[in-house]
Amino acid sequence: MSKTILILGACGQIGTELTLNLRSVHGNDRVIASDIREGSGELMSSGPFEILDATNAQAVEDVVVHHNVEEIYLMAALLSATAEKFPDRAWNLNMTSLFNVLDLAKEGKIDKVFWPSSIAVFGPNTPSEQTPQATIMEPSTVYGISKLAGERWCAYYHRKFGVDVRSVRYPGLISWKTQPGGGTTDYAVEIFHKAVAGEPYECFLKEDSRLPMMYMEDAIRATINLMQADADDVKVRSSYNLASMSFTPEEIAREIQKHKPEFTVSYAPDFRQDIADSWPGSIDDNQARTDWGWEPEFDLSATTAAMLEGLGGSQ
Ligand code: AKB
């Protein structure tokens, strides 16, 4: 059944594709895109758009009331690398926007909330291979601390006030429609842009830094499937582990070279290496598979082919 949906942070890497996808499911007019500034292209032309600051509780409520919004997807956030540079701004945006949305649900003004968490909730003391759903969580980054605090608040609002909030811990996301910004996993998108431009790439992580990653199409499908699942099946109300593949910069470079043999990569690790070192190499997502039927479709080879084709560089 069609719902009226508001996306906060619709112009970002996930928000753009999520908006277009939800518009194809629920109808263009039922999905209100919003962001702090205007976006471009299909996002702006295909349906309603509001300039909206997710930290402004009154402004968010006004848009909810004006459009009779039933569900909110809160995609506005400062990511890991930017958050290390601007800790106050990151904490303010990541937490205030979450409270604004959870409180609207608590007050019965919206029915359902999606809020993204991240593999950044894990830290250097977490088991790094096949990291379980429930394990040691001692994040060492500003972003990870905000995501872990957010998870606990989501679980609290569900338990205390019955708020229907749903969440996944996204790995690094790979997409060609919109570039990411300010993340540690962004190299896995930048590398394709350089390969397609016929230029060498200087990677800001070491060649053997293994991180969990996912193609955007899988991430969007997971998000929409979780939001469509029966409430009783959503047993985890903090956030679900979600996985599809893990690779190192060297491995993705080799995969790209199968299509573009002349492509070269050099390595110059910067401050983001410390962040990557604190995150797991792979994730156990069995609970998501069992509870609401999660199953990924894109591995490294399928992702590489889709990225090169999307960016117009396949041979
Ligand atoms: C980042 O690198 O900060 C994000 C994330 C893993 O949440 N892509």
Side-chain angles (χ1 to χ4, degrees):
M1 218 182 71
S2 280
K3 311 225 160 49
T4 303
I5 292 171
L6 172 63
I7 321 273
L8 297 167
C11 298
Q13 189 199 12
I14 311 174
T16 303
E17 292 198 36
L18 184 62
T19 303
L20 297 177
N21 233 286
L22 286 170
R23 281 182 176 159
S24 72
V25 175
H26 296 276
N28 286 349
D29 294 343
R30 303 298 293 267
V31 180
I32 295 105
S34 77
D35 210 309
I36 195 123
R37 62 186 67 84
E38 285 194 0
S40 56
E42 209 187 332
L43 177 84
M44 299 301 293
S45 59
S46 62
F49 181 87
E50 297 273 358
I51 297 279
L52 186 54
D53 173 359
T55 64
N56 183 335
Q58 191 57 55
V60 176
E61 182 170 344
D62 288 348
V63 169
V64 164
V65 171
H66 179 73
H67 291 278
N68 291 316
V69 169
E70 294 156 281
E71 290 183 7
I72 294 186
Y73 290 67
L74 169 53
M75 312 313 285
L78 237 59
L79 298 189
S80 57
T82 314
E84 289 305 299
K85 291 187 184 150
F86 307 105
D88 299 354
R89 256 176 60 197
W91 182 257
N92 182 40
L93 171 60
N94 296 0
M95 301 312 297
T96 308
S97 59
L98 177 59
F99 281 119
N100 288 347
V101 171
L102 288 177
D103 282 334
L104 284 172
K106 176 185 156 191
E107 290 158 14
K109 291 173 178 151
I110 52 171
D111 300 334
K112 216 189 260 186
V113 174
F114 178 83
W115 172 80
S117 187
S118 159
I119 54 162
V121 292
F122 301 118
N125 299 324
T126 303
S128 77
E129 289 315 317
Q130 288 301 109
T131 299
Q133 173 69 39
T135 183
I136 298 169
M137 296 166 90
E138 296 174 347
S140 54
T141 63
V142 172
Y143 175 65
I145 294 168
S146 76
K147 287 295 179 189
L148 179 55
E151 284 194 10
R152 298 326 309 160
W153 280 112
C154 287
Y156 184 87
Y157 269 67
H158 176 71
R159 185 167 52 80
K160 257 323 229 209
F161 310 120
V163 166
D164 190 352
V165 55
R166 304 171 182 210
S167 175
V168 292
R169 294 171 179 151
Y170 288 125
L173 297 180
I174 304 174
S175 63
W176 56 268
K177 286 192 185 156
T178 312
Q179 292 237 40
T184 302
T185 57
D186 294 9
Y187 90 85
V189 177
E190 290 174 7
I191 196 168
F192 283 103
H193 285 265
K194 288 292 184 183
V196 167
E199 292 170 19
Y201 179 58
E202 187 179 270
C203 184
F204 57 75
L205 296 183
K206 286 193 292 199
E207 61 267 40
D208 60 352
S209 282
R210 182 174 301 280
L211 287 172
M213 299 277 185
M214 183 174 287
Y215 187 54
M216 186 60 83
E217 204 174 304
D218 270 343
I220 299 293
R221 203 164 36 79
T223 306
I224 293 178
N225 286 354
L226 173 61
M227 286 296 271
Q228 287 175 342
D230 279 352
D232 289 346
D233 291 337
V234 184
K235 308 241 189 310
V236 175
R237 294 298 186 149
S238 51
S239 191
Y240 277 96
N241 274 8
L242 195 68
S244 62
M245 59 186 149
S246 287
F247 56 76
T248 65
E250 199 171 36
E251 285 164 355
I252 191 174
R254 233 181 286 128
E255 194 61 40
I256 293 171
Q257 282 158 351
K258 289 184 188 164
H259 302 256
K260 298 192 164 289
E262 71 291 353
F263 180 55
T264 59
V265 180
S266 57
Y267 300 92
D270 66 13
F271 73 101
R272 288 167 281 194
Q273 186 63 51
D274 276 351
I275 303 176
D277 287 344
S278 76
W279 290 351
S282 61
I283 299 288
D284 176 342
D285 63 357
N286 267 309
Q287 180 121 26
R289 290 171 188 254
T290 306
D291 288 0
W292 43 277
W294 160 244
E295 212 173 320
E297 285 176 5
F298 286 80
D299 59 10
L300 177 56
S301 133
T303 299
T304 304
M307 283 297 288
L308 291 175
E309 198 190 327
L311 291 172
S314 68
Q315 294 176 330

